[in-house]
Amino acid sequence: MPRPSLTATSDRVLSCPQPRPGATVRLVCFPHSGGGPATFRDWHRGAGAGTEVRTVVLPGRAARSDEPFADDWRSVVTETTDAVRRLNETSDSPADIVLFGQSLGALLAFETARELERTGIGPRRLVVSARSAPDISTSLDVPSGDAALLELVDRRYGGIPTALRAVPELLAHQLPPLRADLRLAGSYRFAPGVPLTTPVIAFAGIEDSTVPPGELLGWARHTTGAFTPHPVPGGHLCSVEHPALLLRVALGHRDR
């Protein structure tokens, strides 16, 4: 019996700039607040021929721009887990799944890993970046005004790129999903449960004030598998600043 193809919904949830049907590893990337497929659009070039890179697309951007922004964790995690699960169910060459999440994406990747393990198909590895352990609560009052939002991002996360600020139209387009994602991140509440068995690698930029070293180490509480803290140079967007390093570690190519 032929395998069913990915549904249109799955294609919208998981963007893939370079499909690799024969891949042995599928790296699923969860962007930071305001991020989308463009954040990881070139990662397939450094991932190697045996790795397919996909990016989670949240409602309200890219191919899902016609949908309202997400404001409910359960629905986001459910649809993401279903899309990831179907990657191998609908493929002629099942592959190991590696989840990577940056900031807000770290929480989404973690919750997705929990759901996948509950169904008996946990990922090979969970890689998180720029986020304290999920049981460490963070408060964030997201302003409704654009100027105040920009000031918040500058102060807390290191700012909006100069190139983006220089084009008012692009900046205006970026602020609504950024605000929506920050509100989603601020609404997260950790629900205690069985720790993962999936190995966890936790990255943080040494200049990122939002993730003190002790809070990075807290990820060890959430897995009975191997845990590796990985401080790297840079700030909150350390994974974007050092994609080659992150790919090498996330994919297990430590000696390359």
Side-chain angles (χ1 to χ4, degrees), residues 3 16-17 21 25 42 47 54 61 72-73 75 97 126 129 145 231:
R3 294 177 181 270
C16 185
V25 176
D42 295 325
R54 290 180 175 262
R61 67 217 71 196
D72 174 67
W73 274 89
S75 62
I97 299 294
L126 169 64
S129 178

Side-chain angles (χ1 to χ4, degrees), residues 43 203-205 232-235 237-248:
W43 278 32
F203 282 81
V232 295
L237 296 181
C238 58
S239 64
V240 178
E241 297 165 355
H242 303 284
L245 170 61
L246 190 137
L247 281 169
R248 186 169 66 249

Side-chain angles (χ1 to χ4, degrees), residues 23-28 50-52 87-88 93-99 122-125 251:
T24 57
V25 176
R26 291 192 167 92
L27 175 64
V28 180
T51 300
E52 181 179 83
L87 285 177
N88 279 343
S93 59
D96 288 337
I97 299 294
V98 175
L99 305 181
R124 170 180 167 184
R125 188 176 295 120
L251 299 175

